[in-house]
Amino acid sequence: MTIKLFENQNSQAAMEFLVTYAWAILVILIAIGALSYFGVLSSDKFLPSRCQLPAGITCSDFSIGENAVQVVLSNSLGEDITITDIDIKGCEGSPVTQKIKNGQMAAFTIGLCTINEKRYSTEVNVTYTGESNLQHTVKGEMIGRQQDVNITYDYLEAGAGSGEGSFAGLVAAYDFNEASGTTLKDISGNGNDGALIGNGELLSNGGAETGDTTNFPFDGVTTTDSHTGAYSFYKEGYNNLRSSEYIPIDLTKSYNLEGWFKSYGVGDSRLYFGYVPFDENKVRIRNYYVNNILGTETTLFEDILSSDKIVKIVDGTNWYDTISHERMVFNIDDSGSYEDLPNGDVSNRNIIRVTNIGPYWEIEFDTTVGKTYPAGTKVRMHRDGGTYMYTAASSKFIPTSWTKYSSTTSGENLFGVGSGKWWRGTKFVKILFLQNYLQDSTYKSRIDDLSLTTVPATYTGPQWASGKYGSALSFDGTDDYVNIPDSGSSSLDVTEITIEAWINPTNYDVPGSHGIIVNKESVWEIGLRDVSGEFQGA
């Protein structure tokens, strides 16, 4: 009886509960239906995302758009590999062939896609070659949602009727996970690598690793042969080449210049390697601006005109005409301190006669003197010589194996062009190459790992440190920066841009710097205000 009574009471209680709360349950069901109808509770929102490949090649990240897919691949195969193709359903494009060093990653864009599925699932085939040059293909899968924001895709013509895709939505990306070295790698696939600049390495792209001739106008770059890294420069036949950058020189420091060279043409290529010196106004210093002949200081005996071929001086005892290309230099400092050097106030060259007439000496030129000056003007004799500073290699014949040429330069000559010192007045330099000197196009050479450092050659520029995610770069606030050169790539020519970065400032008040984080010189910048720490952009 007790059990039966309890059961009757329990049924009655259940009925009363349903009658009392049915309206609330109905409201909840209607709400769930509405959220589902408007896509809030769509199963697409909860689709698990993954990109999986066999061990050794890891899919570290990916994004899916209507017309392009981007994927970041990591290489842990124990050798450098080159990705030649990534096949994805719905995409007809192929990524730009790119090398991934062991332990590093790179981003790839696959374009010409038509992806209409919000829930996108596909097989991924990655084709690569290893150090043996054998081709391999690995298969994996990609599952994820198409992003709400469309990925912009530009189609760039690359020859008649064919083309390659470029992921224009992402110009450059840097994860700072190198943790060492002096190159900041662009993982976007656009190749906008940056060089760490400070008191250490002073050259941008010395290893050719931007994949182009940035800073060094050789014929091109190649992946066929390199001393280190993925690329090296090459030059066929003779040319006089200089680096693009003006590099400031501090005469209180010593500088070490080095580079690796090899021949691969019909014979050993002839090399001159060193510097082109410039003064504080970036005017080139020529040999005969500083290469004076001691004891030739004197004055003009009478006025001269620029059309004269014969000039009269007071004392020509130490003047001579036995060496070609002697010149007369005007408005000299005859105090013995040579403060006038470098002196570019020079005559036309080639003194062909020096004759003692009695009260004066005649100096005859093979052409007109080219200057007009009054009697009493102080002059001296200079000689012409080697056009540049061939410090690291002078008429060296490069063998067919990688060979290093280097030099150390320190201090300043008081006068002349003595070995191991800077020509007087040097404030800037460019790196010089007389490549395959006076040889035809059958003589060929490769160039790699060009470097200019202060001595001792320890890197004291931006330092690798722990970051918010992985590693980061630490700057000292005075002369450290990352230089991303203008390589002519259209990927950097953008009119609208969004920049995102994590920074950890330790001092906002850096005079003259405006706390710059990123800038495009003379165009725009984003940085921190000197005191408040607020972001600003221009």
Side-chain angles (χ1 to χ4, degrees), residues 182-419:
T182 59
T183 299
L184 183 62
K185 188 70 176 176
D186 174 16
I187 65 169
S188 72
N190 289 321
N192 296 311
D193 293 352
L196 278 58
I197 306 296
N199 287 329
E201 180 56 62
L202 301 175
L203 291 182
S204 299
N205 195 30
E209 295 309 307
T210 62
D212 55 38
T213 57
T214 297
N215 197 31
F216 297 100
F218 296 106
D219 288 348
V221 297
T222 178
T223 58
T224 301
D225 184 16
S226 63
H227 178 250
T228 64
Y231 300 96
S232 67
F233 299 109
Y234 67 87
K235 178 73 191 79
E236 299 180 1
Y238 169 63
N239 209 336
N240 179 330
L241 302 165
R242 308 176 189 180
S243 61
S244 301
E245 296 173 319
Y246 287 96
I247 304 163
I249 295 299
D250 182 349
L251 295 175
T252 66
K253 298 179 180 180
S254 295
Y255 292 83
N256 186 70
L257 173 67
E258 69 176 49
W260 289 81
F261 301 81
K262 70 176 294 186
S263 296
Y264 69 103
V266 299
D268 293 346
S269 59
R270 191 177 179 187
L271 172 69
Y272 287 78
F273 178 37
Y275 302 101
V276 182
F278 296 85
D279 67 14
E280 61 186 357
N281 297 314
K282 297 182 180 177
V283 174
R284 179 184 152 195
I285 301 173
R286 299 177 183 270
N287 180 294
Y288 51 84
Y289 288 7
V290 298
N291 198 4
N292 61 300
I293 299 175
L294 294 176
T296 60
E297 294 81 6
T298 187
T299 58
L300 292 179
F301 182 79
E302 66 180 20
D303 298 351
I304 63 170
L305 298 175
S306 62
S307 58
D308 290 340
K309 290 188 66 175
I310 297 176
V311 174
K312 297 176 182 179
I313 62 175
V314 172
D315 183 7
T317 302
N318 294 320
W319 289 57
Y320 49 82
D321 56 14
T322 57
I323 299 177
S324 62
H325 308 319
E326 287 88 7
R327 302 192 182 218
M328 182 178 289
V329 177
F330 302 87
N331 291 318
I332 68 164
D333 170 24
D334 61 358
S335 68
S337 60
Y338 302 100
E339 292 295 331
D340 63 305
L341 301 180
N343 190 334
D345 190 3
V346 299
S347 67
N348 294 330
R349 67 185 185 185
N350 293 1
I351 295 174
I352 60 174
R353 180 174 62 87
V354 178
T355 306
N356 185 354
I357 304 300
Y360 60 84
W361 292 65
E362 280 188 354
I363 309 298
E364 183 177 356
F365 295 83
D366 67 348
T367 183
T368 59
V369 67
K371 296 287 182 178
T372 299
Y373 276 111
T377 300
K378 294 179 179 180
V379 297
R380 84 162 69 88
M381 191 181 201
H382 283 206
R383 69 166 58 97
D384 201 354
T387 309
Y388 307 106
M389 297 178 63
Y390 309 119
T391 59
S394 179
S395 194
K396 297 289 186 180
F397 286 89
I398 306 170
T400 56
S401 58
W402 283 105
T403 304
K404 183 175 77 171
Y405 295 92
S406 63
S407 65
T408 299
T409 307
S410 177
E412 181 184 48
N413 286 302
L414 181 62
F415 57 83
V417 291
S419 177

Side-chain angles (χ1 to χ4, degrees), residues 63-135:
S63 60
I64 302 168
E66 290 182 359
N67 49 12
V69 173
Q70 188 178 51
V71 59
V72 178
L73 300 181
S74 300
N75 173 22
S76 58
L77 288 169
E79 63 174 341
D80 296 348
I81 63 172
T82 299
I83 303 296
T84 58
D85 191 26
I86 301 176
D87 181 36
I88 293 179
K89 181 184 72 175
C91 300
E92 298 180 9
S94 298
V96 175
T97 298
Q98 189 175 170
K99 187 173 185 177
I100 313 179
K101 293 183 178 181
N102 182 47
Q104 296 188 5
M105 63 177 63
F108 299 84
T109 300
I110 302 89
L112 300 180
C113 299
T114 304
I115 300 175
N116 299 318
E117 309 167 34
K118 286 294 183 181
R119 300 179 62 182
Y120 182 69
S121 176
T122 182
E123 182 179 272
V124 178
N125 298 318
V126 178
T127 303
Y128 71 94
T129 58
E131 295 177 355
S132 63
N133 291 324
L134 295 177
Q135 183 169 289

Side-chain angles (χ1 to χ4, degrees), residues 38-75:
F38 289 106
V40 176
L41 295 181
S42 170
S43 59
D44 290 348
K45 299 289 184 180
F46 304 101
L47 180 70
S49 295
R50 67 174 180 268
C51 178
Q52 294 180 333
L53 288 167
I57 300 180
T58 305
C59 183
S60 300
D61 198 3
F62 71 100
S63 60
I64 302 168
E66 290 182 359
N67 49 12
V69 173
Q70 188 178 51
V71 59
V72 178
L73 300 181
S74 300
N75 173 22

